């Protein structure tokens, strides 16, 4: 055998040994099998969405997902591992800040990364692909059903883009309330009793669902066939049942259903029908449609308030029997569900170009930009001053230096001295001045909105912030929630994270991820979402943040308002309000229906009667006069009934009030922009349901600004005049006959 043949055989043997060694190592290495993001692949950009990662042999490893924020900086989100048969399932929530951004899943042990896999954003169905995010202002409706006929898909759409995501497994529901942030409404179909128990949420999922609803979520339960199983005492879903299941009866006269929407066509074409209806006893909530002599005989549509959210129960099967072909079914579902009951249109004569070029497409975007417009102790150099300095600099380098060398010193060789001196003076002066104007301390501007539903004791707080740093830094950011009097909130559930801008501007959520992701500046979201670690802020840069907190109080207890209100008729409100918050409430006003009462300042322990205050005025009039007056009505024509508001010129108080009651004010036709991204701030539904809302502003108490962002465990900065803290108290009103 020749030497060349021996060498060739040895080379081939080495390749085979290396191949089998690598294969053996791969066989023993944990594998990432797949990644599911959102609901049936749908999620909103800039909002929490559930994520599930399937692995093989990763029981003792940490699973996390890396995704970009709205600035393109990579954020690490740890997941919780769950046993799942042969493989290992990890579940959690993440936020994606760039359209079409890839996700990187990592398996780590104490030594580092063991395995990683990148899932690219795509519309195809390969195992390595995820779907690109929806616009943060789109509507996302999720339906849990085993039927091929989607109830949510039958609801007619309005001007707002809507996506219906259908899932058939309850284990795809989130384990934490934040996982529902992308969801505008959740529909659970009870139209079939087959395998219903397997399709209902478990105890942990039901707990997250209850907290989401109480914080402002909308749950729609539809169907008669599975109501017995769903509302049984041992069912986790019974916590959200608007009554106690009695029996399934047959409705032969569909007139109440037809009358609900003033239908032109009768159900069944006028023939005798038989519609199964799930009868509930001990109903909790408002019965909107019923059959029989009184509402409690046979409730068909029940709407139950749960904190700031609601549970709607439709006791019929819309996709079965005579309702299947009924032409009025879509309108019936639309009104009963309340999903599309929004004012979406802009006025024909309302300009929108200025709003688009501002980089945001939602009221919350205007709020973010206004928060970051200026910071206490930080000054920007006027452009005129920069031009003047440049002119002086050129004069010194040219004519002044020439005459100094020719007539003063008499030697042009001295330019080797004068030139460095001029450069040093101007360079050093510019450096000193820039640092002087940029400030020496970190700053944060924040505005907080706290809602307290007095009947249920549910409290939710939201804090928007713009953080500024004069130097490059990395911080751990958390939240210290406080009551109006400045005392800490015990046992509050907090969330802190980055906030993106709805739109395509700088920091906008709808920009493509093509610019790349800054992995070198990566930071981490803690597992319970209460803080972020290593948050990077560049030199003289800002970062948008949002924090929220949720708590419960005893109805009528401390830190609240003691209210006894009654309404004998439209535009009339009688009773008494007592301030038990242990803080002075300023700029108070009370809203009820279309009317508002200015109450001024209410001292701690003081009482005020609405009927003894100033005469009520329309809610629109109050907002227009108190918050959209003077220079805030730029562009208003005297002939306009509703002011054309230039959003970018409004202050924080005006913007927040527009967000507080967007629909009650007339929607985008009044506000100029929709309020979809942070739509939970709109309490117009409370006014529609006959409740009153007290709005008040609370001044900082002894240097404390209300709830506060913490930087490495300490206060970020002292309160400033820019800071705001508004409180809304939702009050029951008795209707007098």
């Amino acid at each position: 055998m020749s030497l060349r043949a021996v060498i060739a055989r040895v080379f081939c043997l080495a390749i085979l040994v290396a191949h089998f060694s690598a294969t053996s190592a791969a066989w023993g290495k944990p594998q990432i099998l797949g990644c599911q993001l959102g609901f049936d692949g749908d999620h909103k950009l800039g909002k929490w969405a559930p994520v599930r990662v399937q692995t093989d042999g990763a029981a003792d490893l940490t699973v996390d997902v890396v995704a970009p924020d709205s600035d393109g900086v990579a954020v690490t989100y740890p997941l919780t591992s769950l046993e799942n048969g042969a493989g290992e399932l990890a579940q959690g929530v993440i936020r994606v800040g760039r359209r079409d951004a890839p996700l990187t899943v990592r398996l780590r042990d104490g030594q580092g990364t063991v395995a990683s896999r990148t899932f690219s954003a795509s519309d195809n169905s390969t195992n390595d692909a995820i779907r690109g995010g929806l616009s943060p202002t789109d509507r996302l409706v999720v339906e849990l059903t085993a039927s091929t006929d989607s109830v949510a898909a039958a609801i007619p759409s309005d001007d707002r883009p809507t996506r219906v995501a259908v899932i058939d497994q309850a284990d795809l529901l989130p384990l934490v309330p934040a996982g529902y942030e992308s969801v505008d409404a959740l529909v659970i179909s009870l139209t079939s009793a087959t395998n219903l128990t397997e399709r209902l949420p478990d105890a942990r999922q039901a707990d997250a669902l209850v907290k989401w609803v109480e914080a402002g979520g909308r749950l729609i339960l539809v169907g008669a066939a599975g109501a017995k199983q769903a509302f049984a005492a041992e069912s986790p879903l019974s916590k959200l049942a608007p009554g106690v299941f009695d029996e399934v009866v047959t409705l032969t006269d569909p007139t109440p259903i037809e009358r609900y929407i003033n239908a032109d066509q009768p159900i069944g074409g006028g023939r005798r029908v038989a519609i199964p209806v799930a009868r509930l006893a001990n109903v909790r909530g408002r019965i909107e449609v019923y059959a029989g002599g009184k509402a409690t005989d046979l409730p068909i549509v029940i709407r139950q308030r749960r904190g700031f959210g609601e549970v709607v129960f439709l006791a019929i099967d819309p996709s079965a029997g005579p309702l299947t072909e009924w032409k009025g079914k879509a309108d019936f579902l639309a009104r009963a569900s309340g999903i599309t009951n929004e004012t979406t249109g802009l006025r024909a004569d309302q300009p929108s170009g200025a709003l688009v070029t501002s980089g945001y497409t939602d009221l919350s975007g205007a709020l973010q930009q206004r928060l970051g417009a200026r910071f206490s102790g930080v000054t920007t150099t006027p452009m005129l001053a920069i031009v003047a300095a440049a002119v002086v600099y050129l004069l010194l380098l040219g004519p002044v230096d020439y005459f100094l060398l020719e007539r003063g010193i008499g030697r042009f060789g001295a330019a080797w001295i004068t030139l460095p001196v001029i450069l040093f003076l101007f360079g050093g002066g510019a450096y000193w001045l820039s640092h002087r104007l940029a400030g020496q301390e970190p700053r944060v501007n924040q505005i907080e909105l706290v809602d307290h539903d007095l009947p249920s004791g549910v409290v939710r707080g939201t804090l928007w912030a713009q953080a500024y740093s004069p130097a490059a830094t990395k911080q751990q950011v958390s939240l210290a929630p406080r009551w109006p009097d400045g005392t800490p909130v015990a046992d509050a559930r907090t969330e802190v994270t980055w906030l993106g801008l709805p739109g395509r501007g700088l920091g906008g959520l709808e920009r493509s991820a093509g610019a790349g992701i800054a992995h070198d500046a990566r930071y981490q979201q803690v597992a319970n979402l209460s803080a972020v670690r290593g948050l990077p802020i560049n030199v003289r840069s800002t970062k948008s943040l949002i924090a929220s907190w949720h708590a419960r109080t005893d109805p009528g207890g401390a830190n609240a308002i003691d209210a006894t209100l009654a309404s004998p008729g439209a535009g009339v409100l009688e009773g008494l309000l007592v301030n038990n918050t242990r803080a002075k409430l300023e700029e108070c006003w009370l809203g009820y229906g279309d009317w508002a009462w200015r109450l001024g300042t209410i001292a701690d322990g003081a009482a005020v009667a609405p009927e003894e205050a100033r005469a009520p005025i329309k809610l629109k009039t109050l907002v227009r006069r108190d918050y959209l007056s003077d220079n805030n009505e730029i562009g208003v024509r005297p002939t306009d009934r509703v002011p054309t508001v230039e959003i970018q010129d409004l202050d924080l108080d005006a913007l927040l009030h527009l967000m507080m009651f967007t629909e009650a004010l007339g929607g985008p036709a009044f506000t100029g922009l929709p309020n979809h991204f942070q739509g939970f701030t709109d309490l117009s539904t409370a006014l529609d349901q006959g409740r009153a809302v007290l709005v008040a502003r609370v001044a900082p108490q002894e240097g404390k600004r209300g709830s506060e962002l913490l930087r490495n465990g300490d206060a970020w900065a002292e309160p400033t005049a820019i800071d705001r803290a508004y409180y809304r108290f939702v009050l029951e009103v008795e209707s007098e006959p």
Side-chain angles (χ1 to χ4, degrees), residues 484-485 583-586 697-702 704-706 725 727:
D485 64 344
K584 181 172 68 174
L585 303 180
E586 302 175 343
R697 180 174 170 177
V698 178
Q701 304 291 317
E702 298 178 357
K704 296 180 180 179
R705 61 169 96 197
Y727 289 77

Side-chain angles (χ1 to χ4, degrees), residues 328-458:
K329 181 176 71 172
D331 292 335
F332 173 80
L333 292 175
R335 181 176 179 185
S337 66
I339 292 177
T340 57
N341 293 343
E342 295 178 353
T343 305
T344 57
L346 289 169
R347 294 170 52 212
D349 62 344
Q350 185 163 346
S352 60
L355 305 181
V356 175
T357 56
S358 296
Y360 51 81
T361 57
D362 192 89
L363 281 172
S364 62
L367 188 75
Q368 291 183 54
Q369 288 203 351
R370 176 60 62 183
L371 272 175
R374 60 186 180 88
F375 292 86
S376 176
V378 179
T379 306
T380 57
T381 307
M383 181 58 66
L384 185 60
I386 296 176
V387 173
V391 171
V392 172
Y393 179 63
L394 293 175
L395 289 175
L396 286 176
L397 283 180
V400 174
D401 190 34
Y402 175 80
F403 284 108
L404 176 64
L405 295 174
E406 179 185 26
R407 301 185 180 181
I409 301 177
R411 296 181 58 185
F412 285 101
W416 291 102
I417 299 175
T418 58
L419 181 60
V421 169
I422 294 174
L423 294 176
F424 175 79
L425 290 176
F426 260 84
Y431 180 81
W432 174 85
L433 183 62
S434 65
H435 276 265
R436 182 81 173 181
L437 296 177
Q440 304 299 316
E441 299 294 333
R443 304 289 181 182
V444 63
N445 292 339
Q446 67 179 52
I447 187 168
E448 183 182 19
L449 179 62
V450 179
D451 295 325
H452 193 159
D453 183 69
L454 295 182
S456 64
V458 175

